[in-house]
């Protein structure tokens, strides 16, 4: 059992490092003007977030539900004016949870 806990903690730490690396790719890609690097970093952020949630004991579906709720909250507060100016939050919400 002890080995499993250590392996689990090691995996969690590696995933946290991967999140930082992914953020660096986004920033570095933006500085270089590299779309590929920015998109790779963004994809890594999303994928690694799901994997980290799983290692922390959360279901992917629970993360999805929390994400949708957080986006609704951001849409309602619209502190960054993303919704008012561009409708980004509505667009993302309709993409992630389309109304049939």
């Amino acid at each position: 059992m002890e080995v499993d806990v250590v392996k689990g903690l090691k995996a969690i730490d590696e995933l946290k490092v991967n999140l930082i690396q992914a953020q660096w790719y986004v920033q570095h890609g933006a500085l270089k003007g590299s779309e590929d690097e920015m998109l790779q970093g963004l994809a890594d952020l999303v994928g690694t977030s799901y994997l980290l949630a799983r290692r922390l004991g959360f279901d992917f579906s629970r993360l999805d539900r929390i994400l949708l709720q957080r986006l609704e909250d951001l849409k309602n507060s619209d502190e960054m004016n993303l919704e008012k100016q561009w409708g980004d939050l509505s667009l993302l919400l309709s993409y992630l949870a389309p109304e049939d």
Side-chain angles (χ1 to χ4, degrees), residues 2-81:
E2 192 173 306
V3 173
D4 288 343
V5 171
V6 171
K7 283 182 181 178
L9 291 174
K10 186 175 186 293
I12 288 169
D13 284 344
E14 288 175 1
L15 288 166
K16 291 189 294 185
V17 168
N18 287 349
L19 283 174
I20 294 167
Q21 288 173 331
Q23 182 182 9
W24 182 87
Y25 276 118
V26 173
Q27 293 175 343
H28 189 256
L31 288 172
K32 286 178 29 181
S34 171
E35 287 183 15
D36 288 341
E37 198 168 344
M38 286 186 284
L39 285 171
Q40 177 186 338
L42 290 168
D44 288 351
L45 281 169
V46 173
T48 302
S49 293
Y50 275 91
L51 295 172
L52 181 57
R54 172 92 170 110
R55 286 295 95 224
L56 292 172
F58 303 111
D59 293 333
F60 297 142
S61 61
R62 184 169 180 199
L63 180 58
D64 285 342
R65 287 191 305 275
I66 298 297
L67 172 61
L68 292 173
Q69 184 58 56
R70 293 289 293 139
L71 290 171
E72 283 289 346
D73 293 346
L74 286 172
K75 179 182 166 188
N76 292 333
S77 68
D78 201 19
E79 295 170 9
M80 296 178 280
N81 291 320

Side-chain angles (χ1 to χ4, degrees), residues 78-89:
D78 201 19
E79 295 170 9
M80 296 178 280
N81 291 320
L82 294 173
E83 184 62 26
K84 182 176 156 186
Q85 290 183 344
W86 298 289
D88 286 352
L89 295 161

